[in-house]
Amino acid sequence: GRYREAFTLWEVIVSKLSNMILMASTASSDKEKVRNMGIAAWVLCRTLQHEVSGRNDPREKYENDIRQEMSNTEQADLILSSRNKVYRAQYDLHQ
């Protein structure tokens, strides 16, 4: 029951993020900003995955994944040092 509900919510999150990126890519001619939005969406999903997985997702692996994906090391540091990483990732997505 709970697993199925969580999986359904995960599908909704990924679907809404995909739709948001698709709409941005059709409405904007600035490919770099759309690309950055895609990376921010991935960071949000990866951060949610890390927070939910707990000990099954080592912190070092999570930090390495974030640093590899983000070209802006200052922004990566802000997320990784944030007390609430999910809120920070959401904030970055809306920039």
Side-chain angles (χ1 to χ4, degrees), residues 56-89:
N56 295 321
D57 187 15
R59 184 176 49 102
E60 295 80 20
K61 182 179 181 332
Y62 164 71
E63 289 179 358
N64 188 38
D65 290 349
I66 296 297
R67 290 187 191 285
Q68 280 184 337
E69 193 64 33
M70 297 185 79
S71 57
N72 185 340
T73 56
E74 183 179 314
Q75 192 174 10
D77 289 340
L78 285 172
I79 289 174
L80 296 174
S81 65
S82 177
R83 195 170 78 184
N84 191 325
K85 293 171 181 46
V86 174
Y87 285 153
R88 181 62 205 200

Side-chain angles (χ1 to χ4, degrees), residues 19-79:
N19 288 338
M20 189 171 66
I21 294 167
L22 181 62
M23 286 187 287
S25 68
T26 57
S28 175
S29 60
D30 190 344
K31 293 183 184 207
E32 187 63 28
K33 285 187 178 182
V34 174
R35 182 181 180 285
N36 289 340
M37 178 186 272
I39 291 171
W42 178 88
V43 168
L44 175 60
C45 288
R46 182 65 180 92
T47 302
L48 283 168
Q49 179 187 26
H50 175 70
E51 294 293 320
V52 170
S53 297
R55 293 184 183 155
N56 295 321
D57 187 15
R59 184 176 49 102
E60 295 80 20
K61 182 179 181 332
Y62 164 71
E63 289 179 358
N64 188 38
D65 290 349
I66 296 297
R67 290 187 191 285
Q68 280 184 337
E69 193 64 33
M70 297 185 79
S71 57
N72 185 340
T73 56
E74 183 179 314
Q75 192 174 10
D77 289 340
L78 285 172
I79 289 174

